Amino acid sequence: MKKHLETLKALTAIPALSGMEDRMITEMVNRFKPLADEVDVDRLGNVTATFKGSDPKQPSLLIFAHMDELGLMITKVDSNGFLRFDRVGGVPEKTLRGQFLEVHALDGKSSVVGFVGTHAHHLTPSDAKYNVPTPDQMYIDLGCSSAEEVYELGINTGSAVTYVPNFRLTGPHHVTSKALDNRIGNLLLLDLAEHMHANRPRATIYLVASVQEEFNIRGNMPAFTRLEPTASIC
């Protein structure tokens, strides 16, 4: 169990906004390579680990889980240094205010922690206390006082925004974290890979860590089209 918790914590800490899954792609390739017969990445970013079956007459099976996570994208840098954003995936607006977020530089090499600004309760008009603002009414504060300071951090329009890693044990049998959807699925794929490495399957099995599920649910289609499995399991 300790090994699984450590792996899950490591997987959930990797930022992989939908459509920008490069770090998770690298992680899954490196973890699959010592175990699978073949590992490849298609042009969209889906990672496929192939375990060749001992009986070619058996039907093939594809098992998949997505690597990407929901988050935000910067749409504008205000002159005062505040960042405007829009959602990527089903981010619930009602939980955003006061949330700590990781804003990534355009080159993906660095990030800065900011938070979504909110008003003190006593400064909020009574008619607004029970309303949830839309994304265009909110902003991310990095502590910068001008747009130039933001640009110097490598952050600009198009920068990815993900939740700050927050993996925690809650009681003896539960965990809470960002990106559990679907890094738990990735953990299961890795467990399956270890099992099939030690126990050769009769049928050919494809393990696919897919992309862009949170954005349009179609990221895995190239893998399905290319591999044409007899059946698949999510």
Side-chain angles (χ1 to χ4, degrees):
M1 180 60 73
K2 182 179 179 181
K3 175 189 173 185
H4 286 90
L5 288 174
E6 290 175 349
T7 302
L8 186 57
K9 183 178 181 179
L11 292 176
T12 58
I14 298 170
L17 183 65
S18 193
M20 299 181 177
E21 301 93 343
D22 294 36
R23 295 189 195 180
M24 270 300 293
I25 291 169
T26 300
E27 182 76 12
M28 294 302 286
V29 167
N30 290 339
R31 289 180 180 269
F32 277 144
K33 272 190 173 180
L35 304 170
D37 296 322
E38 297 175 4
V39 178
D40 62 79
V41 182
D42 66 25
R43 291 187 179 183
L44 204 58
N46 298 299
V47 180
T48 301
T50 301
F51 293 81
K52 297 178 181 178
S54 59
D55 183 354
K57 295 181 181 179
Q58 292 292 317
S60 61
L61 178 64
L62 187 153
I63 305 170
F64 67 102
H66 68 88
M67 297 179 287
D68 58 309
E69 62 188 290
L70 49 77
L72 310 169
M73 182 171 286
I74 300 305
T75 57
K76 181 184 178 183
V77 180
D78 286 347
S79 60
N80 58 10
F82 290 165
L83 308 180
R84 303 295 174 169
F85 59 84
D86 205 351
R87 303 184 310 160
V88 177
V91 176
E93 289 93 338
K94 63 184 178 181
T95 65
L96 272 177
R97 285 187 295 180
Q99 186 78 244
F100 284 95
L101 301 169
E102 200 169 15
V103 185
H104 302 271
L106 287 175
D107 62 10
K109 295 179 180 179
S110 62
S111 63
V112 180
V113 173
F115 65 94
V116 179
T118 186
H119 297 101
H121 186 72
H122 63 280
L123 295 178
T124 306
S126 57
D127 60 347
K129 286 182 178 178
Y130 304 102
N131 295 331
V132 178
T134 56
D136 63 293
Q137 297 172 312
M138 291 186 272
Y139 61 88
I140 298 171
D141 187 350
L142 297 180
C144 296
S145 58
S146 67
E148 287 69 29
E149 287 186 33
V150 175
Y151 301 147
E152 288 174 3
L153 297 172
I155 293 167
N156 206 327
T157 300
S159 284
V161 183
T162 53
Y163 291 99
V164 171
N166 53 6
F167 186 92
R168 287 181 179 273
L169 294 174
T170 53
H173 306 299
H174 295 82
V175 297
T176 180
S177 174
K178 78 169 184 75
L180 287 177
D181 173 13
N182 195 12
R183 305 294 163 80
I184 284 180
N186 300 144
L187 178 67
L188 293 176
L189 292 184
L190 295 173
D191 258 14
L192 278 169
E194 289 186 3
H195 176 78
M196 289 189 292
H197 180 71
N199 303 273
R200 176 61 54 181
R202 290 182 62 200
T204 293
I205 309 292
Y206 305 108
L207 302 183
V208 175
S210 64
V211 297
Q212 295 190 27
E213 192 275 347
E214 298 288 2
F215 179 65
N216 59 20
I217 323 179
R218 298 186 181 90
N220 52 24
M221 293 307 293
F224 281 69
T225 302
R226 176 172 61 89
L227 299 170
E228 297 186 326
T230 308
S232 64
I233 298 174
C234 177

